[in-house]
Structure formats: structure tokens, C-alpha cells
Amino acid sequence: MRNDSSDGRFTRRRAWQAALPGALLMSALSGGAQGAAFALKEQSAAALGNAFAGATAGAEDISYSFFNPAALAYGTGTEISLVGSLILPQFEYASDNPTTGLPYPGAHHSKSDQGAFVPAAFVARDLGEGLRLGLSVTVPYGLETDYVRRWVGRYDAINTDLLTVDINPALAWRVSPRLALGIGLSAQYADASLSSAVPGAGITPDTDGKIQVEGDDWTYGFNLGLLYEPVAGTRLGLAYRSRISHELSGHARYTPAGLGPVTADPQKVGGTAKLELPETVGLGLHQDIGPRWSVMADATWTRWSRFDELRIRFADDIALATDPVTGLPISAISESVDEYNWQDTWFLAVGASYRVNERWTLRGGLAHDESPVSTCCRT
């Protein structure tokens, strides 16, 4: 899965040790040379119309509670919001010179254009005395790529599929006409499925081995927010969403490379990997200008520096090579570590809305979304 036009983000480090499961999984997650890596902001249709400018201070409908749980306090009665985003990314690799800088042969032109539908659902109702209860189900992180088996970057990844589902009950309190507070709990599920090629003796697609990794996990986090109106028509928002640490548990399936097409029996071992998803801090402004116009701005900081490495520990050693005579392992690994050194990022946006009438609003916005991938680690 990939985000909107601000998220045309998928570059891969040419990490040849990606033959190991650790590098394999991170080759999937290291996408994102542009934009917010594999984070998905597409949780509110109204906020998307403003390029998410003012999302932290927004309160037009309950879908803004994804960005700030205090937004729930601005509704009344029972509300339901259903959101769907169709994301059509495209990553394409092409090389004019198939010999320069490419130590492995293969197809020097490949693309991945796996589209995805990203749903989100919100519901809220009054509890009385200025209290409102809400529940959301969203997909805050995800990606999918699928390349041809013979492409030159096959040692980084062939297929990658990461999915998260976040179930977030939240409570908002309208403390006064000027101040609203919100708190939420995230129960988040993550599932990852990945594969890459392993270079064999002939270093060609026909002599490659293959490795596949699968794992999933449930874990928890929280989010906090406030909305404050210093004067009529001006609304400030501040929100915090905690980091979430997944301990993915699953298995690795390694099919050794050979002198011809792969025919060896695969090895299958259990394993665990820690996946750190970053915390965010958002600050937003929503300013009404007369009865029809509003302008807004947003700044969100994401601590992607937590995403510095992926370490996979195997329940049993994986034999990467064996003695052809004795059949005993020549080299084996018990864990795999891949370093990424991602950087913290800022998302900045400005926008405006024009209310044509009670039913129609025209929205626009401009956003800049930094990449967490440093220049040294982008190839």
C-alpha cells in the first residue's frame, strides 16, 4: 500500500545481505525515499481535501478524531463516518546501462503498481455532561509491492506485504465552550509477508535461492489531544500518538540456492522480530474568515529515528550452505540484523476551504512531507 501523490515513496537500499531474513523484512519496510515512509494519512476524506492542513485542529466530522481524539467533543448525538481511499502507487526501476554498478544480472526494468483500497470507520455517541465516546477502525501503516522474479533488485525484495489494523476507542470531554480534551487506546494488529531471492553459485535468476518471512502480532498504544479556542473562529489543536512496539512472531522459509533451478528442500524455522512504529506530535490551526472562508495549517513531527534496525532471532539456526559430501552446515545464522538509520521527519501543510452552501464545501491545500531515509542510505 502506498499513499497519495505526496507519498510516491519507494526506494530500496541495495543491501546484498538481503539474502538473510532480517534484511529481507527491512527491504520491505525501507520504502519511502519520499514522504512519510509507509504511514497512511488517508483516514478522513475532508482532511484529505485540505492536504491534511489543519487536521490536528479539525472538527468538521468525527473522522478528524484519528488526528486528534478531542475532535469527538464537537459532535452531537450518534454519528457514523465511513471513509474509503483507493491508492494507486507506482514504483519503476530502469537501467540504461545493465553492466555499470550492478553486480548481479537480471531484468533491468521492473515496476510494481499494486493498488489498494484503504478503509476507515468511525462511530461516536453522547454520554452526557459534555462527554462523548468514539470508536475507530483504521489502517495507519501499510504497503504492498510485487516485482517480477527475475528483476535486478530481487535480492532486496520480490514481494512485500505489510498490513496494520488499529482499533481505537476514545473518550472526549468538552471542558468548556473553549476547551476540549480527548484520550484514546489503540489495539493494533500487524501482519507482514515478504520474499526475496538469494544469490546462488551461478549468480543468475535461474540459480537463485529464495527466502520468505511471515509474522504477525497484536499490541497496544494510546493517543491524547486537546482543542482550544482562544477567540471565536480560531481553533488550535495539539495531539500526541504514542509509539507502538510490535514483537512479530512467525516463521522463515529458506530454499537454498543451487547450480540449476531451485529443487532443494526448504528449511522452515520459527522466529521473532521487533517492529517499532513511531510516535507523532501534531500542532494545528483552523481559522474562520467570515461565514464562508476558512484557512488552516498543520505541522506534525514523527519520530522515525526509532526505526533504526530490524533484528530477527531464529528459533533454530538457518544453514546458508552445506558441505556437499557430509551434508553438514558450512555456514549458519541464528539471527539477522539490518541497520537503517532513519531520521525524524516533519509534515507541513497549509490549506483553505470555501463553504458554497450547507451541503457543499470546496477544499484545497499544499503539503510537504519529508522522507525519513537519509541520503547516505538511499541507493
Side-chain angles (χ1 to χ4, degrees), residues 137-201:
V137 180
T138 60
V139 180
Y141 298 93
L143 66 86
E144 182 177 3
T145 60
D146 193 12
Y147 303 98
V148 296
R149 175 69 184 270
R150 301 176 66 86
W151 87 291
V152 74
R154 61 192 178 276
Y155 303 118
D156 287 322
I158 297 173
N159 176 267
T160 298
D161 192 350
L162 172 68
L163 171 69
T164 62
V165 178
D166 194 277
I167 302 172
N168 196 151
L171 184 67
W173 178 30
R174 193 71 180 261
V175 180
S176 71
R178 290 190 175 185
L179 178 65
L181 303 176
I183 183 172
L185 172 68
S186 289
Q188 189 174 107
Y189 173 75
D191 180 89
S193 176
L194 322 113
S195 68
S196 74
V198 180

Side-chain angles (χ1 to χ4, degrees), residues 14 92-102 106-110 152:
R14 191 166 292 127
E92 187 166 352
Y93 171 86
S95 173
D96 293 331
N97 187 338
T99 61
T100 301
L102 298 174
H108 298 282
H109 182 276
S110 183
V152 74

Side-chain angles (χ1 to χ4, degrees), residues 197-213:
V198 180
I203 316 181
T204 68
D206 289 334
T207 60
D208 286 341
K210 185 179 181 182
I211 192 161
Q212 294 175 294
V213 175

Side-chain angles (χ1 to χ4, degrees), residues 64-267:
Y64 281 86
S65 64
F66 175 83
F67 308 99
N68 189 334
L72 291 170
Y74 280 73
T76 58
T78 299
E79 296 178 275
I80 297 175
S81 177
L82 302 176
V83 182
S85 300
L86 180 62
I87 300 175
L88 300 173
Q90 182 164 323
F91 168 80
E92 187 166 352
Y93 171 86
S95 173
D96 293 331
N97 187 338
T99 61
T100 301
L102 298 174
Y104 296 105
H108 298 282
H109 182 276
S110 183
K111 66 179 181 179
S112 178
D113 53 2
Q114 297 295 306
F117 177 75
V118 180
F122 302 83
V123 62
R125 63 171 299 171
D126 295 335
L127 294 181
E129 299 297 329
L131 291 174
R132 279 175 61 80
L133 178 67
L135 176 68
S136 65
V137 180
T138 60
V139 180
Y141 298 93
L143 66 86
E144 182 177 3
T145 60
D146 193 12
Y147 303 98
V148 296
R149 175 69 184 270
R150 301 176 66 86
W151 87 291
V152 74
R154 61 192 178 276
Y155 303 118
D156 287 322
I158 297 173
N159 176 267
T160 298
D161 192 350
L162 172 68
L163 171 69
T164 62
V165 178
D166 194 277
I167 302 172
N168 196 151
L171 184 67
W173 178 30
R174 193 71 180 261
V175 180
S176 71
R178 290 190 175 185
L179 178 65
L181 303 176
I183 183 172
L185 172 68
S186 289
Q188 189 174 107
Y189 173 75
D191 180 89
S193 176
L194 322 113
S195 68
S196 74
V198 180
I203 316 181
T204 68
D206 289 334
T207 60
D208 286 341
K210 185 179 181 182
I211 192 161
Q212 294 175 294
V213 175
E214 295 181 1
D216 62 359
D217 179 55
W218 276 98
T219 194
Y220 303 92
F222 66 93
N223 51 315
L224 305 170
L226 68 84
L227 288 171
Y228 178 64
E229 297 184 34
V231 296
T234 301
R235 186 166 61 244
L236 299 173
L238 178 65
Y240 171 81
R241 183 174 289 270
S242 74
R243 70 169 177 170
I244 293 199
S245 298
H246 284 284
E247 190 74 22
L248 299 173
S249 178
H251 65 268
R253 184 183 179 91
Y254 173 59
T255 303
L259 296 177
V262 174
T263 57
D265 293 333
Q267 303 174 54

